[in-house]
Amino acid sequence: SYSALTNLVDLSIWHTLVSGPVPPQWSALTGLTSLKLHDNRLTCGAPKAISRLTGLRYLDLSWNAESGGAITREWSQLTRLTYLSLSGCGLRGTLPPQLSALSNLKKLYVDNNRRMRGQLPGAWSAMQQLQRLSARNNTGLTGTVVGNAGVSTR
């Protein structure tokens, strides 16, 4: 049972070709501060199990090309995040302005999600800790974020 793993702080399952959604039972891993699930075949759009892990500081779901989901406002609950990578996840839709609630975020990567559309949210300018925002190879995204971030969209 996942609920017994309350002392687990780092979960790394990467490059194993695990597929499907993130198990909802993982929401019981409330001690997690680092979750690395990159290079698999997971659905990484907006799994509710992850949005409940409010102690996360590091989250890497990059290169889970099977996902095709969208980033939704639930992600704004992860206010302790300092690192978020959703590159190459096949994400679609727009980037929600509510992510500006991630006030501790220093690095945000949403590269290579060619089905994303719209403007980079102006509200993201409120993320004063943001040092790196990379949204390269997203032909449907436009705009800039004013602030401290080194922004890359191409």
Side-chain angles (χ1 to χ4, degrees), residues 16-85:
T16 61
L17 300 180
V18 171
S19 62
V22 173
Q25 300 89 339
W26 285 15
S27 64
L29 302 175
T30 56
L32 276 184
T33 59
S34 177
L35 183 57
K36 300 169 191 150
L37 300 173
H38 57 88
D39 295 292
N40 287 297
R41 293 184 180 161
L42 294 169
T43 304
C44 67
K48 290 189 180 195
I50 290 177
S51 67
R52 292 185 182 126
L53 299 174
T54 57
L56 281 178
R57 291 180 181 0
Y58 187 102
L59 178 57
D60 189 348
L61 293 172
S62 60
W63 304 105
N64 279 289
E66 302 295 316
S67 72
I71 302 172
T72 62
R73 70 183 115 192
E74 284 83 11
W75 287 86
S76 64
Q77 298 171 31
L78 302 174
T79 58
R80 294 186 182 174
L81 277 180
T82 61
Y83 180 97
L84 176 59
S85 182

Side-chain angles (χ1 to χ4, degrees), residues 14 25 28 64 72 76 83 92 94 98 103 118 125 131 136:
W14 50 275
Q25 300 89 339
N64 279 289
T72 62
S76 64
Y83 180 97
R92 66 179 186 277
T94 60
Q98 292 89 347
S103 59
S125 297
Q131 298 169 356
R136 295 175 296 131

Side-chain angles (χ1 to χ4, degrees), residues 82-117:
T82 61
Y83 180 97
L84 176 59
S85 182
L86 298 170
S87 296
C89 284
L91 295 173
R92 66 179 186 277
T94 60
L95 295 167
Q98 292 89 347
L99 287 187
S100 63
L102 303 180
S103 59
N104 292 305
L105 199 61
K106 293 181 180 177
K107 295 182 181 179
L108 174 59
Y109 298 91
V110 290
D111 305 299
N112 299 296
N113 288 294
R114 298 184 192 277
R115 292 184 287 170
M116 293 183 78
R117 300 285 179 254

